[in-house]
Amino acid sequence: MGWLVFLSGIAIFILLIWFMSVRIKIVYERTKENDRIDIEISVLKRLLKYRFTVNQLQIRSISEGIKVSERVEVGQQAPKRAKKTWITPRTIQVWQWKFARLLRNVYDLNQILRRTLENVRGEELIWKTNIGLGEASATGAVVGVVWTVKSALIAILSHYISLRARPRLYVIPDFQREMLDIYLLCILRLRIGHAIIAVIRIMINYIRKGRERVWENIRFKA
C-alpha cells in the first residue's frame, strides 16, 4: 500500500511538472544612447526567477566585450548577490563552435528546434520607437521604413511561434530633434513538457548518430 501511495505521488508530481510552463520576459530599452536588456525566466507564477541583465551596452574594447549581470530570485526574498561576467568575442566564438558541433552531432536538430518553437506562445509584444532626424522630410521617410521593417519582423516571428495577443507597434516621429528611443517588451511561455520532449529527442538523435559514426569507423577499418 505504501509503495502504491509513493508511486502515485511520483506520478502526480511528474504530471504537474509536465504541464507547468516557463515564462520568459524580455525587455529592451534604449533611452538617450543608454541601453538595457533584461531577460527574466520564471516558473510557478514567478515564485522562482532567474534574471539576466545587461546595463548600458558599452563595449570598452574588442577584447573586454560586454558586461553582464546574472541573479536568481526565490519568491519575495532578497535576490542573491548578482554575478558579474563579461561576454567577449572569444565567448561568442565558443558558443558558435558548440552550436555548430551540436548541429553536426544531432540528427534533424533544426527540425526539433522548429517544432519546439511551434509550442511557444507569445502572450504580449509591445514595440515602441521614438525617432527623429532633425528634419521633417527625412524623419517622415525613415518612419515609413521603420514601419515596414517592424511589420516584416513580426510576420517572420509569427511564422515560428504562436502569437496569442495582437502585437502593439508604435512609431512616434520627432520632427524637431535627432533621437532614437526604443522600448521592446516580449513575454513568451513554453510548457515544460514540450521542452522535455525536445531534450529527449536531442539526446536520442545524438546517441543514434554517435552509433552510426562508430559503425562507419568499424566498416572503414575492415
Side-chain angles (χ1 to χ4, degrees):
M1 185 66 180
W3 280 105
L4 182 60
V5 173
F6 175 76
L7 292 175
S8 298
I10 293 294
I12 292 173
F13 177 75
I14 292 174
L15 283 174
L16 289 175
I17 294 295
W18 189 270
F19 289 102
M20 194 180 297
S21 60
V22 177
R23 181 178 183 267
I24 304 171
K25 179 181 178 182
I26 303 170
V27 178
Y28 169 70
E29 292 182 89
R30 176 183 173 85
T31 306
K32 296 180 180 179
E33 299 184 357
N34 291 324
D35 298 83
R36 174 186 173 90
I37 295 177
D38 196 343
I39 301 175
E40 179 186 282
I41 302 173
S42 61
V43 295
L44 297 173
K45 295 186 177 180
R46 303 182 68 204
L47 182 65
L48 179 62
K49 294 177 285 186
Y50 166 79
R51 299 189 71 174
F52 176 94
T53 304
V54 181
N55 290 314
Q56 296 183 353
L57 300 179
Q58 296 176 345
I59 302 177
R60 294 186 181 180
S61 69
I62 294 177
S63 60
E64 283 189 88
I66 301 171
K67 193 174 184 179
V68 176
S69 171
E70 302 175 68
R71 65 180 182 271
V72 176
E73 303 176 22
V74 180
Q76 300 301 321
Q77 299 178 4
K80 295 182 179 180
R81 186 175 181 180
K83 177 183 176 182
K84 306 288 186 179
T85 57
W86 284 91
I87 296 178
T88 65
R90 174 61 180 167
T91 307
I92 296 173
Q93 288 177 358
V94 171
W95 290 347
Q96 290 176 336
W97 178 79
K98 288 183 177 180
F99 184 71
R101 183 180 178 184
L102 195 63
L103 280 174
R104 291 194 305 268
N105 294 335
V106 178
Y107 271 120
D108 298 328
L109 180 60
N110 288 327
Q111 188 67 20
I112 294 172
L113 295 177
R114 183 162 184 172
R115 289 185 180 179
T116 304
L117 284 175
E118 290 175 354
N119 295 305
V120 175
R121 302 197 312 262
E123 295 190 336
E124 187 173 7
L125 178 59
I126 302 173
W127 191 358
K128 297 179 182 179
T129 304
N130 295 66
I131 190 168
L133 296 180
E135 199 271 327
S137 60
T139 300
V142 79
V143 164
V145 173
V146 172
W147 270 117
T148 302
V149 171
K150 283 191 175 187
S151 300
L153 291 176
I154 295 300
I156 294 172
L157 181 65
S158 63
H159 181 70
Y160 289 99
I161 70 173
S162 174
L163 296 177
R164 297 301 177 91
R166 183 178 181 138
R168 288 181 280 172
L169 308 179
Y170 307 91
V171 181
I172 304 172
D174 190 318
F175 299 105
Q176 306 299 324
R177 52 181 177 156
E178 295 183 2
M179 65 173 301
L180 177 61
D181 291 349
I182 300 172
Y183 174 79
L184 174 65
L185 167 66
C186 182
I187 298 178
L188 308 172
R189 193 174 294 273
L190 173 66
R191 186 176 295 173
I192 292 179
H194 291 137
I196 293 174
I197 290 174
V199 172
I200 292 174
R201 291 186 62 197
I202 289 173
M203 292 175 62
I204 291 173
N205 287 7
Y206 179 84
I207 295 171
R208 176 187 169 194
K209 195 162 188 177
R211 287 178 176 174
E212 288 192 359
R213 286 199 303 270
V214 171
W215 175 244
E216 288 175 358
N217 290 334
I218 293 173
R219 290 180 59 190
F220 178 76
K221 291 178 181 179

